[in-house]
Amino acid sequence: SGLVLKGYIIMLIKVIVRVVGLDIVVQLKAVNILFVFAVLAMIIGSIDAIKENRPYASIYIESVYPINRDMDDFDKDFIKNDVDNDDIKKLNGKLENLAKDKDVNYIDLFAALESDGKLDKEYTDNGYYLNGNGYKQVYKYISKYTKED
C-alpha cells in the first residue's frame, strides 16, 4: 500500500506539472502542491460532472483577479512577497488553456479589474479583496458573456 501511495503521489505531481507548469510547481511547497491539485481536481471533476449530467449547460472558468501591493491596507502576511501579478497571469494562462482543453468558456476578469498591471484602486480597499465597485465591475463584465440572445 505504501508503494501504491507513492505511485499515486507521483501521478498527482505529474498532473499538476502538466496543468500548471513545472516553473510554478518548483516554487511551491508540498502542502501548496496538494492544495493546487485539490483545486484543479475540483475544477476538472466539476466540469466533467456538469458536462455529463447537464450537457446543455454553459460552463465558465473565470480568471484569478490581480492584486495591488501599493494599497495602504495590503497585508503582506496574507499574500506573501513571492506572489505577484506576473504569477497570477501565468496561472490565468493555465486556466485559459484548461478552458480550451475542456471546451468551456473562459472569462478574463484580470483584464477587467486591472490598471497599470495591478488591481485598480477603485475596485479594492486593501489590494486583494474586491469592494462594492469591484463586484459591480465583475458583474458588468460577466454579464457580457452570460446574457441570453
Side-chain angles (χ1 to χ4, degrees):
S1 68
L3 186 59
V4 171
L5 180 60
K6 286 179 186 175
Y8 182 69
I9 291 171
I10 290 169
M11 182 191 72
L12 295 181
I13 292 171
K14 286 181 179 178
V15 169
I16 294 167
V17 168
R18 185 171 159 260
V19 175
V20 300
L22 181 61
D23 56 327
I24 293 174
V25 172
V26 170
Q27 298 173 26
L28 298 175
K29 296 177 183 166
V31 172
N32 295 342
I33 289 173
L34 293 175
F35 175 75
V36 168
F37 174 75
V39 171
L40 290 172
M42 286 189 297
I43 292 170
I44 292 168
S46 297
I47 290 170
D48 291 342
I50 292 168
K51 283 186 162 202
E52 182 178 325
N53 294 302
R54 300 286 188 264
Y56 51 84
S58 296
I59 302 172
Y60 299 86
I61 294 178
E62 76 174 48
S63 67
V64 176
Y65 305 158
I67 59 174
N68 187 336
R69 293 183 176 281
D70 298 337
M71 300 296 294
D72 291 336
D73 290 337
F74 189 86
D75 184 353
K76 291 177 177 56
D77 291 326
F78 182 71
I79 298 181
K80 302 296 182 194
N81 287 330
D82 59 347
V83 176
D84 61 22
N85 284 317
D86 288 335
D87 296 323
I88 294 171
K89 287 179 185 178
K90 287 179 191 174
L91 178 58
N92 285 340
K94 303 297 182 180
L95 291 173
E96 185 174 13
N97 288 337
L98 176 63
K100 288 177 187 172
D101 290 346
K102 290 292 182 178
D103 195 30
V104 299
N105 304 291
Y106 176 77
I107 301 177
D108 183 8
L109 289 170
F110 187 103
L113 296 168
E114 70 96 14
S115 175
D116 296 323
K118 54 191 168 196
L119 181 57
D120 191 315
K121 290 180 181 184
E122 180 182 339
Y123 302 138
T124 184
D125 296 323
N126 59 16
Y128 44 88
Y129 289 126
L130 298 181
N131 61 20
N133 290 331
Y135 284 110
K136 286 178 188 174
Q137 177 69 358
V138 167
Y139 176 78
K140 179 179 154 185
Y141 201 77
I142 287 177
S143 295
K144 295 178 190 177
Y145 294 90
T146 60
K147 286 189 178 176
E148 297 291 324
D149 292 327

